[in-house]
Amino acid sequence: MTRTGNDEHTGRPRRQPRIGRPWRPVAALIGLTLAGGLFLTGCGASDSNGSSTDGSNKSGGRGFPQPAPNRTSGTSQGEQKDTPTGDASREFAPSPDYLSTFALDVDTASYGYARRALADGRLPEASTVRPEEFVNSFRQDYRRPDGNGFSVTVDGARTREKDWSLVRVGLATRDAPESGKRPPAALTFVIDISGSMGEPGRLDLAQDALGVMTDRLRDDDSVAVVTFSDEARTVLPMTRLGHHRDRIYDVIRGLEPTESTNLGAGVRTGYATAVKGLREGATNRVVLISDALANTGETDADAILENVSTARREHGITLFGVGVGSEYGDALMERLADKGDGHTTYVSTIDEARKVFCEQLPQNIDLTARDAKAQVAFDPQTVKQFRLIGYDDRQVADEDFRDDRVDGGEIGPGHTVTALYAVRTRPGASGHLATASVRWLDPDTRAPHEESGQLETGSLDEDLWTSSTRLQVDAVAAYFADDLRTGDDKANPLPGALPLGELADRAHRVASAAEDKAVDELAAAVERASGLMG
């Protein structure tokens, strides 16, 4: 059963949980098609040669499914029909469902933890592998917009399986501002100091990175520190950096692991400290650093999550989760960040930790879009079947695309979001293939905005493994994640999938072309997995 209806505190419809795609009747498609007539104007037009574009007219002129109509006010939508549960991104959407809708996500923890597991000589648990987090772990070269919001790029290439292609929807926000041009930050660090954090690569990484980050924050930024083991306590109330950096350094250096993991107490105390130190006009954020292995106090995920959700609703405090450790509570950390309208990442080396705290965290201090959602409308005259790769727990009902009460993703500057689809075209298909749209709310005014891009079948003429380097990187990451989730179960593999050994060879060739250390590491991870799988 899916959870339906509205949140009792806000009246906003709850985001749907991880579900399989429903089999919708033709009548429902017709209703959506007729209702979605009015589409906001984009910023460009399709190239005459059928190449991908950044923004375009959204009608397409073909009568294909359009985004659902705007529903920014009104009462509860009522009970929804039951839908099958399961791993949605391993199922192909059946005709006549030609719409795909999901909340945006820039988490990368799943890929980081998989690399750690492989480096330790073991395969990651299939349940921890989220393909979109593998794909979104790599740099992209999408065009950036000038202001808040997104640019939209849609492209793709043919796989070597007949009539199947990979289609990429790329969204990008403006470049991250220089430090002096962003709003001030009020950051509450909630640090796990339980006994398990004494393992090398846990608390020591956090201490090193936090020390470097303290050097780089501005004088008008504020920091609070909460620690938790069997209990939680605020060891540093919200403090402007100014002339207090030495005090912050002393707190960080003094952290020592002890006793058990009362994650619930840490989250509760962390948010209470953040609320007490709330700064108007600043970005108020809780940064949770933990192996997320709750074993004392409140260990029920829903109860812990409610503390996060309440603070987010009432005060706009978002969560940034940083996972550490060879054993790691991936599912709990991911749920916490999702409930807290935030993001998760995972670190296992000092270089990774410094990158997260000194580069990625500053990107998350500012905000360019709230409740961002994407919807892709495939043209039934050219598309026979499609499958969204990943985003299992980010799916949104198609009719809620323009319902601004429904949660989306919170995205900051300097971010890119990539979604890959396996698309089966109709034999001999020619013309329009898909329209990809993104809708978001202005972070200050909450005014809604949309942008879109179009794709023609002519853009899929190139072979995937001779296409652009960045598209090949995304393909390797997606196939790799799909193989790790599949294991010995080869049901519903991605079209065009390569044997893991061959994918490793392909990854090394792509890494050579990319001249990117991160892609070298991807190739090494694929090779390790190939050896472990035999």
Side-chain angles (χ1 to χ4, degrees):
M1 293 288 290
T2 59
R3 291 180 62 194
T4 58
N6 287 2
D7 189 289
E8 62 183 0
H9 297 283
T10 65
R12 290 161 60 101
R14 302 183 185 97
R15 181 181 296 160
Q16 295 189 23
R18 188 173 304 196
I19 59 174
R21 297 212 42 110
W23 289 75
R24 294 192 177 96
V26 175
L29 173 67
I30 294 173
L32 282 174
T33 305
L34 293 176
L38 183 59
F39 219 8
L40 300 182
T41 303
C43 64
S46 176
D47 293 345
S48 60
N49 63 2
S51 62
S52 64
T53 62
D54 295 327
S56 57
N57 182 287
K58 298 175 178 61
S59 66
R62 292 285 299 274
F64 57 90
Q66 300 293 321
N70 197 3
R71 285 208 298 252
T72 57
S73 62
T75 58
S76 169
Q77 302 304 307
E79 293 293 315
Q80 301 175 17
K81 294 182 180 179
D82 291 345
T83 56
T85 60
D87 187 348
S89 69
R90 298 198 61 77
E91 299 174 3
F92 291 94
S95 177
D97 182 1
Y98 288 96
L99 291 173
S100 171
T101 310
F102 57 94
L104 302 195
D105 188 16
V106 293
D107 291 350
T108 61
S110 175
Y111 173 67
Y113 185 50
R115 283 185 53 225
R116 169 64 183 267
L118 291 166
D120 289 345
R122 56 189 172 86
L123 293 171
E125 291 291 331
S127 62
T128 69
V129 177
R130 292 182 291 278
E132 74 278 11
E133 297 187 23
F134 278 54
V135 172
N136 281 301
S137 294
F138 300 95
R139 178 175 58 83
Q140 300 291 349
D141 53 7
Y142 306 136
R143 180 184 64 83
R144 301 278 182 176
D146 294 329
N148 282 350
F150 298 87
S151 64
V152 182
T153 301
V154 194
D155 60 7
R158 289 181 294 104
T159 73
R160 294 180 180 178
E161 188 164 334
K162 183 175 173 59
D163 296 330
W164 283 97
S165 299
L166 282 189
V167 169
R168 179 175 62 167
V169 176
L171 309 173
T173 59
R174 60 176 167 79
D175 288 327
E178 298 177 5
S179 176
K181 296 182 180 180
R182 63 164 172 80
L187 306 175
T188 301
F189 290 92
V190 180
I191 305 173
D192 186 346
I193 59 167
S194 61
S196 61
M197 292 292 287
E199 174 192 302
R202 299 194 187 198
L203 185 57
D204 56 334
L205 293 188
Q207 288 173 298
D208 177 271
L210 287 171
V212 175
M213 183 207 66
T214 300
D215 287 335
R216 300 188 183 183
L217 288 174
R218 300 187 325 213
D219 286 350
D220 62 342
D221 292 329
S222 300
V223 168
V225 177
V226 171
T227 61
F228 68 94
S229 53
D230 58 332
E231 295 180 346
R233 67 188 185 100
T234 301
V235 296
L236 181 72
M238 194 64 70
T239 303
R240 296 281 180 104
L241 268 76
H243 301 294
H244 300 289
R245 293 179 196 269
D246 286 343
R247 182 182 176 191
I248 298 170
Y249 294 140
D250 289 342
V251 168
I252 294 171
R253 283 194 294 264
L255 299 176
E256 293 184 357
T258 178
E259 300 178 341
S260 51
T261 309
N262 193 336
L263 181 60
V267 169
R268 184 169 57 254
T269 303
Y271 271 92
T273 301
V275 169
K276 187 174 181 179
L278 195 73
R279 287 182 58 186
E280 294 295 331
T283 299
N284 295 272
R285 178 153 293 213
V286 167
V287 183
L288 174 62
I289 306 167
S290 176
D291 56 19
L293 300 175
N295 56 23
T296 301
E298 184 60 76
T299 59
D300 178 70
D302 289 337
I304 297 174
L305 291 167
E306 185 55 33
N307 285 293
V308 177
S309 182
T310 300
R312 189 269 300 169
R313 288 193 305 265
E314 295 180 1
H315 303 290
I317 299 171
T318 54
L319 178 70
F320 184 56
V322 182
V324 296
S326 56
E327 294 183 16
Y328 168 55
D330 169 81
L332 178 55
M333 184 70 89
E334 199 258 348
R335 289 181 65 194
L336 284 167
D338 185 43
K339 193 80 169 181
D341 279 350
H343 315 298
T344 62
T345 190
Y346 176 89
V347 299
S348 60
T349 68
I350 287 178
D351 286 345
E352 290 173 356
R354 289 186 175 185
K355 181 177 181 180
V356 164
F357 286 103
C358 302
E359 296 178 28
Q360 293 181 9
L361 183 57
Q363 287 182 350
N364 286 281
I365 288 175
D366 200 0
L367 196 63
T368 60
R370 291 187 182 274
D371 289 327
K373 291 170 283 191
Q375 184 168 84
V376 180
F378 291 96
D379 190 332
Q381 296 186 48
T382 56
V383 174
K384 187 173 184 178
Q385 212 172 10
F386 70 89
R387 168 175 154 190
L388 173 61
I389 303 171
Y391 292 94
D392 302 340
D393 58 356
R394 307 291 286 179
Q395 291 190 28
V396 174
D398 295 333
E399 58 270 24
D400 287 340
F401 175 62
R402 287 183 171 170
D403 187 341
D404 296 328
R405 300 168 300 168
V406 174
D407 273 352
E410 274 56 46
I411 308 295
H415 280 135
T416 60
V417 181
T418 300
L420 289 180
Y421 287 86
V423 177
R424 185 182 182 187
T425 53
R426 298 187 182 278
S430 178
H432 183 269
L433 187 128
T435 295
S437 302
V438 58
R439 182 179 177 90
W440 71 94
L441 303 182
D442 183 275
D444 298 319
T445 67
R446 293 190 176 270
H449 301 275
E450 285 186 22
E451 190 56 83
S452 73
Q454 307 250 7
L455 184 67
E456 302 292 310
T457 56
S459 297
L460 303 180
D461 287 343
E462 190 171 9
D463 180 86
L464 175 63
W465 301 116
T466 61
S467 65
S468 70
T469 298
R470 286 293 152 188
L471 178 55
Q472 291 188 58
V473 171
D474 296 339
V476 169
Y479 283 128
F480 181 35
D482 194 64
D483 217 317
L484 289 176
R485 290 207 298 180
T486 302
D488 293 331
D489 177 13
K490 297 302 182 182
N492 289 333
L494 278 177
L498 303 174
L500 203 53
E502 188 176 339
L503 183 65
D505 292 339
R506 180 67 62 181
H508 281 294
R509 273 179 271 176
V510 173
S512 178
E515 296 182 344
D516 182 341
K517 180 182 177 182
V519 186
D520 289 332
E521 293 168 346
L522 170 63
V526 177
E527 189 168 3
R528 288 192 192 99
S530 177
L532 290 170
M533 288 185 176

